[in-house]
Amino acid sequence: MNRGGYLVRRLASALATVAAAAVINFVLFRAAPGDAATQYQMCRTCSAEFRDYLRAELGLDRPLLEQFWLYVSALLRGDLGHSFQTRRPVWDELAGPLANTLPMVGLGLAFGLALGLVIGVVAAWRRGTAADWAPLSASMFLSVLPIQWIGLMLLLLFGGMLPTGGISDPYLRFSDPSWWQVLGDRLEHLALPSLAIGLAWCGSWALIARSALVGALGEDYILTARAKGLTSWRIVRRYALPNSLLPITTLIFLTFGYIVAGSLLVETVFSYPGIGLALYQAVQNRDYAVLQGGFLLLTAAIVVANLLADLLYLKLDPRIRT
Amino acid sequence: MSKSRRRRAAQVWCAVTVLAAVATGCGADAKPATSSPAASGILSVGVTASLGRMTSLNPLADNLYGSWIARQLIYPALVQLNGTKLEPSWASKWDVSEGGRVYTFHLRPGAWSDGKPLTAHDAAWTANFELKHASDAAGLVSFALEGVKSVKAADDKTLVVTYAEAMPESVLTLLANFHVLPKHVYEPHAGGDGSKILAFRPEDKLPAVSGGPFTVTEFAGDGTTIFEPNKGYFGTPPKVGAVGLQVFQNDEGLAQALRAGTVAWGYGGGSAVAASVKGAAGLKVAASPSQEVAMLNVNTNPKKRDNPELKQVQVREAMSLALDRAELVEVVLNGYGRPGRSVLAPFQDEWIPKDLRADPHDPAKANGILDGLGYKRGADGIRVTPAGDRMSYSVVVWKEISRVAEILQKNLAEVGIELKPDIAADYTAAVTKPDGKYLDFDLAYSYWTLSPDPGGTLRVYSCDSWGSVNFAGFCDKDYDTLLDKQRGMLDPAERTTAVGTLQKTLLRDTRAVLPLYHAETVHVVRQDWAGIETQRFGPGLWTQIHRVS
């Protein structure tokens, strides 16, 4: 297959996935009992007539097909609709939380990756020794624990030292802070949620890194390097590690999308106002418009991450181009 | 740049990033003192999301508790509460005339935070809008004006409230929840049928126009909302520089913030937070008499289609005797509460008959009643009616009360009754189905935070409340007649007797309602703060709080 054909096929597949997700989003949320006009918060005591009015205003009284057409045509214009709860554009509701989630996930990814790579490389390098199984087992143990449990433990352990809620010190502005103080405050608030993400994922990355490196260390060119008398660390660093980075790189991209989508639990533990928490509130408020938009964004995040991984593979692995 | 220099630059960048991350983590406990709420005179209040989240400052569009807290700080009320007692607020005093039908409130001079005068015309406009749209756009707040016929501004400082019939002064406690809105801000959104006002979001343009002791300068319904003093406030100015209302998504986050001192007051933190911080230095737990009631409602609709044995009062009595209320208090409330005694809460003790006690946990007696009725246990231990139907009932609940449901299941299983939780997405629809006729549901859990006047709670079980908040399908003409009559009784003793009779109708004569527990209002407060009177509601509470050295 030529490079262009591969690209077109991957792009078409990604678009089809997003389109399918958009349709499923629409159907799924309307299949649930109740709607925005019946939910507790907005209309607990109002009359049936007023509920009908609200349904009409929110467009919920229209035939499903018509609602679907309006939804799809708006999507094609890049319009995710308006929140049923706040009446603001859905994008405005989600952009801020998404912007909060990305650095948390990014830092968590960096931390987990660094820890996972160190453990994986050491484990492969010292295969069969305590340096292999001890840290690997510990990281694998962490990776099977629910992330919210890890978060809760971090909260209990570091609660007195690091902030346990929010994205920043809400009172910092009263002290006319410097840019560095603001940055430091943000990083403090990012520390625990990012650490939870990193700890929860480092086991998987350690295992992949070890597995890839062990494979690379068994190649003939490594035998040649050994025969030339190079030190084992130099062999790992200069020859084996670069050649084992391909699966790790792919994994990073694939994981990124899933971490963003799965940020809800971490954000709930640390009261972190990210995309997961925004969607949780939308579920509570039966805010279909925000839910549809949010899940579409998350689906798109995973699809884009997968696509980037594929494109990167295309760049890194010459075998795909042939 | 050469390849090696690029690599070096990348390495340096990575090192700086990691070091910065590590440094900020390690240095976290060395937070600048200037950002500390305690140091800067900022009262940091923490609430859990289940209690304190809000979606808007517009009281017509948001009836969440967090929004109600915010309203106390930014919108004036005629009166405020200290427990169940009335206190002046915006109204410095009031006169009663026409035998208790007309109340004339004399208002203190004040200004909205944007400089416009705060007058009786604002109150009259708000009240008339809410009365006009009581069953639609103002459905969330109109309860505060129950029984009111008209509201007029006699002049800028005098408001005349006329009730449809004579009212005892205790009914005015409802007016503590009547929050006056700035007419010049809300009226442009209230045209036509008034419904557009629901879309109005005062928090979109900050600082929000306020007539209370504070105004909102930052709004985050699920984060931290900042309140700063309103210079035009009619009453005693606040003693703090600002108030921050921070929402925590879980109890432990709030508990840890209280321990760390980043939150000074865990507002209504609840028993779990209190249990978590138990013994922590510098913190005290303040529990005030419960204003809440959790109940198990039994479907009393005579037209109910199945499980006819539930219509027997003896069966309901046996169910009540099977319930271990002490265990509910211990497990669900960590001991911060009382066994369910009435549909009213302990803070309304003066309204509850002395001889009305919580049913004891007596499974032996409950089994005796059911045996006597001829309901024998089947092979699986569940009783069977003479018609051959198992005594297996569904109970409409919401998912957050799974621990309550587990205890109820266990208790009732001991007397041979099976309970199956039905987690409802649309609570009212699940209870009143089909079409508001209450033909299907067996039991339903309900939980209320109550206003001081008992009338509102008792009205939940009136025929008027069918299809909305009446979760027992209860409708009794005699009950409704007495309910209407008590509202106009000016003699406190006479009214107390009537209110007692109404409670006994629900709790003894029909046992339509089985009270479960009353959760105390539990606050956790740092000891370097004073003036937090947890029984008070309204500006009087928030303006008195100050830091002690």
Side-chain angles (χ1 to χ4, degrees), chain A:
Chain A
M1 192 201 315
N2 64 32
R3 192 171 177 163
Y6 177 80
L7 270 175
V8 168
R9 207 184 65 162
R10 294 302 302 137
L11 277 170
S13 166
L15 282 174
T17 308
V18 172
V23 174
I24 292 170
N25 272 350
F26 179 86
V27 175
L28 210 60
F29 296 123
R30 278 159 182 80
D35 60 29
T38 60
Q39 59 96 2
Y40 177 80
Q41 143 67 8
M42 189 153 177
C43 205
R44 183 173 137 204
T45 54
C46 60
S47 63
E49 293 77 21
F50 191 65
R51 286 187 182 198
D52 290 343
Y53 163 79
L54 280 178
R55 284 197 184 93
E57 199 190 55
L58 299 171
L60 298 172
D61 64 331
R62 299 183 189 190
L64 271 182
L65 272 178
E66 190 183 339
Q67 287 185 45
F68 181 69
W69 169 245
L70 291 172
Y71 166 66
V72 170
S73 51
L75 268 187
L76 291 174
R77 294 192 307 271
D79 177 5
L80 293 172
H82 283 70
S83 161
F84 289 173
Q85 188 68 36
T86 65
R87 317 292 174 96
R88 295 191 194 103
V90 168
W91 175 247
D92 290 356
E93 291 287 307
L94 295 175
L98 187 63
N100 292 343
T101 294
L102 290 177
M104 178 187 80
V105 170
L107 198 62
L109 199 70
F111 173 71
L113 197 64
L115 192 62
L117 271 180
V118 168
I119 292 171
V121 169
V122 171
W125 182 32
R126 298 291 184 212
R127 193 179 170 190
T129 67
D132 176 7
W133 60 263
L136 198 65
S137 303
S139 63
M140 286 308 296
F141 175 70
L142 280 173
S143 70
V144 297
L145 292 174
I147 194 166
Q148 68 271 29
W149 189 85
I150 296 174
L152 208 54
M153 291 303 109
L154 290 175
L155 199 136
L156 288 169
L157 285 171
F158 298 104
M161 293 180 274
L162 289 165
T164 57
I167 190 170
S168 61
D169 180 349
Y171 313 111
L172 193 62
R173 73 180 171 93
F174 291 107
S175 61
D176 194 19
S178 68
W179 188 85
W180 283 106
Q181 280 177 306
V182 172
L183 179 68
D185 175 60
R186 281 295 174 109
L187 285 171
E188 276 182 23
H189 284 78
L190 278 173
L192 289 182
S194 299
L195 192 60
I197 290 174
L199 289 176
W201 284 89
C202 73
S204 313
W205 291 323
L207 202 64
I208 295 288
R210 181 189 180 278
S211 166
L213 202 58
V214 165
L217 285 169
E219 296 291 335
D220 290 344
Y221 62 86
I222 298 293
L223 194 63
T224 306
R226 285 190 205 284
K228 284 172 70 178
L230 297 180
T231 63
S232 60
W233 173 240
R234 188 175 168 80
I235 291 169
V236 167
R237 192 170 64 87
R238 290 295 301 273
Y239 299 102
L241 190 56
N243 283 306
S244 63
L245 282 177
L246 196 60
I248 298 170
T249 310
T250 313
L251 194 71
I252 292 169
F253 280 98
L254 293 180
T255 317
F256 188 79
Y258 285 106
I259 297 178
V260 172
S263 61
L264 166 62
L265 294 171
V266 177
E267 290 174 2
T268 303
V269 171
F270 295 104
S271 307
Y272 192 88
I275 188 85
L277 210 51
L279 291 180
Y280 175 62
Q281 306 302 357
V283 169
Q284 288 192 318
N285 295 331
R286 303 276 167 74
D287 199 335
Y288 295 150
V290 172
L291 283 172
Q292 281 171 182
F295 281 106
L296 196 63
L297 275 180
L298 293 181
T299 308
I302 292 175
V303 169
V304 168
N306 287 2
L307 190 64
L308 285 175
D310 284 341
L311 297 179
L312 202 68
Y313 238 95
L314 194 67
K315 172 83 178 166
L316 296 176
D317 191 346
R319 289 170 295 185
I320 290 180
R321 278 175 266 167
T322 58

Side-chain angles (χ1 to χ4, degrees), chain B residues 119-393:
Chain B
T119 71
H121 297 284
D122 290 297
W125 178 83
T126 307
N128 287 314
F129 179 86
E130 292 181 7
L131 288 171
K132 184 180 174 187
H133 297 286
S135 63
D136 43 68
L140 298 178
V141 292
S142 56
F143 72 94
L145 297 171
E146 189 188 337
V148 172
K149 187 182 170 191
S150 69
V151 178
K152 286 179 183 159
D155 55 48
D156 281 358
K157 294 181 187 172
T158 312
L159 188 75
V160 180
V161 177
T162 305
Y163 283 87
E165 56 187 302
M167 287 286 175
E169 197 173 270
S170 63
V171 168
L172 297 188
T173 53
L174 281 174
L175 289 181
N177 288 305
F178 167 60
H179 289 99
V180 177
L181 305 174
K183 180 185 174 188
H184 62 287
V185 174
Y186 277 74
E187 192 176 33
H189 305 275
D193 62 359
S195 53
K196 296 287 181 200
I197 207 166
L198 293 176
F200 174 55
R201 295 289 177 265
E203 60 274 14
D204 283 348
K205 190 179 173 190
L206 296 176
V209 176
S210 154
F214 294 90
T215 184
V216 173
T217 53
E218 274 185 38
F219 178 85
D222 274 306
T224 303
T225 298
I226 303 284
F227 301 83
E228 293 184 54
N230 166 24
K231 291 185 174 63
Y233 176 54
F234 52 78
T236 311
K239 294 179 177 172
V240 294
V243 172
L245 187 65
Q246 185 173 6
V247 177
F248 288 83
Q249 296 299 323
N250 56 77
D251 294 335
E252 201 49 46
L254 174 55
Q256 290 298 328
L258 281 160
R259 281 175 182 273
T262 53
V263 165
W265 178 12
Y267 185 102
S271 55
V273 174
S276 179
V277 301
K278 199 173 183 179
L283 292 174
K284 62 182 176 188
V285 175
S288 50
S290 174
Q291 302 184 9
E292 296 167 17
V293 57
M295 298 179 281
L296 195 59
N297 300 266
V298 188
N299 189 346
T300 56
N301 182 8
K303 293 180 181 171
K304 176 174 158 54
R305 291 190 280 217
D306 55 3
N307 300 323
E309 68 279 7
L310 277 178
K311 293 172 192 165
Q312 293 178 278
V313 175
Q314 299 100 309
V315 170
R316 299 177 203 158
E317 182 185 1
M319 291 171 78
S320 184
L321 291 167
L323 301 176
D324 189 349
R325 293 172 173 83
E327 184 182 4
L328 284 166
V329 170
E330 199 51 47
V331 174
V332 179
L333 306 176
N334 293 298
Y336 290 100
R338 288 196 201 173
R341 175 183 169 201
S342 174
V343 292
L344 302 184
F347 88 125
Q348 298 163 306
D349 194 53
E350 67 203 79
W351 297 104
I352 305 173
K354 301 291 176 227
D355 60 342
L356 193 60
R357 303 264 170 223
D359 276 333
H361 177 221
D362 193 345
K365 189 175 176 186
N367 273 315
I369 292 172
L370 295 171
D371 288 341
L373 291 169
Y375 301 135
K376 307 290 182 201
R377 285 186 188 257
D380 58 356
I382 301 303
R383 293 176 186 274
V384 180
T385 67
D389 297 323
R390 294 172 79 244
M391 292 182 80
S392 174
Y393 311 120

